[in-house]
Amino acid sequence: MIARLDYLKSLGVDAIWLSPFYKSPNKDGGYDVADPRDVDPKFGNLLDAKCLIEEAHRRELRVIFDIVPNHFSTEHLWFKEALASPKGSVARSRFHFYDGRGESGEIPPNNWNSIFGGPAWTRLTEVDGSKGQWYLHLFDSTQADLNWDNLDVRDDFEKTLRFWLDLGVDGFRIDVAHGLAKETILQDHPDPEGLTRALRLDVSDMRQEDRERLLSDVPFFDREGVHEIYRSWRKIFDSYSGGRISVAEAWVHPSSRAARYVRSDELHQIFNFDFLIAPWDAEFLVAAIKRTLSEVGSVDAPPTWVLSNHDSPRLVTRLGGGDLGERKARAFALLTHALPGGIYIFQGEELALVDGALPDSARQDPVFFRTNGKDKGRDGARIPLPWESAVNFGFSTGTPWLPIPKDWEDKTVAQQSINESSSLALYKKSLEIRSLHPALKKSSNYNIEWINAPKGVIGIKRAPGFLLIANTNVEEISVEIGEGAELLLASNSEVVVKVGRAVVAGHTTCWLNLPK
Ligand code: NOJ
């Protein structure tokens, strides 16, 4: 990773977020943490982590670690201790252990499902071999949910935050930030199957109002109790110099509840996942942008934009794949890169990678296993980055955790670096302009001005002197842009600027400089 920092610098990002690298049996890509204050030997050691931070800082890159407070791996010492301790013990109270229902406790304490499929409870075999209590796991059965009413849990996480802050990390991405406080654990949910479907990203099989209704009251997500935790964490972040930050992974409904996580005494940012599920459609996107700006704007927090991440299909794939998918993805990226606030780019998004085909035998994602293969899971989007034409595309001389498709030869960083019209070249240009243009560069000015645009077209002005036109239609459009506007960047070469007008091809975004 240290050897690739120069690449990230040249890409033009300001910071890197690393997914969890802590000691872990890796049942869920490291989100099953067995020791949150140590590095898994697969990746290196603590000195390497420190060195990574220092080398990043030397290049003026900031570093964000991923903290996982909702659950611990069942390999964590605490869980082992809980197993060896009797029911009702302090060791068990750090997790959610309950007796089962039914004559011999054979029915789980409630009817919740795991987000990854199957029940959210697993029954223990006690040390004497008898069937025992059940423990809660909203995700895989190897990820036991922590009980945030327990003071050991709170203290331990504060210790973890300080541990990495002392090492020099610039901030944290907080996994399942909306999940820490649970309510009504001993009550059944009226519609557990509906809730499970509603919580999935692929929502095509459900009416939007049913989904919103189910998601607006989830007994284990977005409960009031989480905010007090973040207020105490904020005090810790603020006690360190250098502007340490936090970003919440919190899926909340209605979306206006996002603002509650980024009040001035809580977290700094919350991922806005609207674009992650958005179609390439002007009307939808304009509404999403307006809603986001006004919601987090209400508490003066910066908006964020996410086109892809490790939990969702890659952008090009989601937009239909092939040349058309890539064309739309490029246009979508230019729209996103012109918006105020923070943009999060998933590794390989800049290369326009697609989900890789994988044999089932190669799959790792617990979602695949817990749904008996019905849901293929997220592995397709998690294939390592192809760097160059070499063994394993230069990613590793060892065996990568997922095989890299052979036909990614023309997608490598090396190939795209020498191709002016590559996706990588487009990302580099847009990020450079974003960092230099007076209307786009870092500022607390989150204002944008909407200009009248034909159907299917988005027109945004940002002061001083920046105009964006995004055409989500198939057909080209011609828009009046005033005298003296100049083309800065376009998502493909089919944009023509004439005196006073821009002719923008279908599925294309362009950036223009307006005269003073
Ligand atoms: C969200 C993470 O992004 C995902 O990868 C993980 O599986 C779950 N949280 C559980 O930790």
Side-chain angles (χ1 to χ4, degrees), residues 174-188:
I174 301 165
D175 189 60
V176 202
H178 53 320
L180 277 41
K182 274 99 183 165
E183 285 178 15
T184 59
I185 291 198
L186 292 180
Q187 272 174 37
D188 277 344

Side-chain angles (χ1 to χ4, degrees), residues 28 31 68 71 116 139 143 173 175-176 249 310-311 378 382:
D28 180 26
Y31 285 96
V68 192
H71 40 265
F116 286 169
F139 297 90
Q143 294 166 296
R173 177 251 189 205
D175 189 60
V176 202
E249 187 226 13
H310 62 294
D311 292 328
R378 302 159 292 179
R382 296 176 171 188

Side-chain angles (χ1 to χ4, degrees), residues 238-484:
D238 287 350
S239 71
Y240 282 79
S241 62
R244 316 295 176 103
I245 69 108
S246 49
V247 50
E249 187 226 13
W251 298 77
V252 293
H253 300 268
S255 59
S256 54
R257 290 184 64 86
R260 299 160 54 81
Y261 289 73
V262 284
R263 290 177 283 202
S264 61
D265 59 347
E266 293 194 39
L267 304 175
H268 298 80
Q269 296 183 3
I270 176 166
F271 289 129
N272 156 30
F273 292 126
D274 285 4
F275 280 11
L276 204 57
I277 48 173
W280 172 239
D281 171 79
E283 213 180 313
F284 187 103
L285 295 169
V286 168
I289 298 168
K290 285 186 175 161
R291 189 172 59 234
T292 303
L293 292 179
S294 89
E295 285 170 0
V296 288
S298 70
V299 286
D300 284 331
T304 64
W305 313 98
V306 180
L307 280 173
S308 64
N309 68 16
H310 62 294
D311 292 328
S312 53
R314 285 198 173 273
L315 180 63
V316 175
T317 302
R318 189 166 64 74
L319 297 175
D323 288 347
L324 185 58
E326 184 165 345
R327 185 181 175 103
K328 290 180 184 172
R330 292 169 67 112
F332 208 161
L334 280 204
L335 168 68
T336 307
H337 297 181
L339 294 175
I343 48 178
Y344 284 81
I345 300 169
F346 176 44
Q347 56 92 346
E349 182 190 307
E350 78 279 22
L351 304 178
L353 293 185
V354 293
D355 277 20
L358 287 170
D360 284 352
S361 57
R363 296 196 186 275
Q364 311 269 336
D365 189 347
V367 171
F368 174 74
F369 299 108
R370 291 187 63 86
T371 60
N372 297 319
K374 266 196 224 105
D375 185 333
K376 294 284 178 201
R378 302 159 292 179
D379 292 317
R382 296 176 171 188
I383 290 171
L385 219 125
W387 292 98
E388 64 217 352
S389 206
V391 175
N392 295 322
F393 290 97
F395 177 76
S396 169
T397 50
T399 310
W401 69 90
L402 292 167
I404 311 178
K406 299 231 169 2
D407 60 357
W408 278 12
E409 216 40 76
D410 60 335
K411 291 278 181 197
T412 61
V413 169
Q415 273 299 321
Q416 297 202 32
S417 299
I418 51 170
N419 177 356
E420 271 291 293
S421 59
S422 68
S423 175
L424 177 59
L426 181 73
Y427 268 66
K428 280 188 178 174
K429 280 183 219 145
S430 67
L431 294 178
E432 186 184 14
I433 298 174
R434 181 178 167 88
S435 71
L436 298 174
H437 196 288
L440 305 184
K441 69 182 186 189
K442 264 177 267 172
S443 79
S444 50
N445 169 15
Y446 303 138
N447 293 328
I448 64 177
E449 185 190 331
W450 298 95
I451 61 159
N452 276 337
K455 192 167 167 24
V457 178
I458 305 170
I460 290 173
K461 258 191 194 170
R462 293 190 63 195
F466 177 87
L467 173 65
L468 169 144
I469 300 165
N471 180 9
T472 69
N473 299 307
V474 178
E475 307 81 31
E476 72 171 28
I477 45 108
S478 168
V479 194
E480 219 187 294
I481 50 173
E483 301 281 305

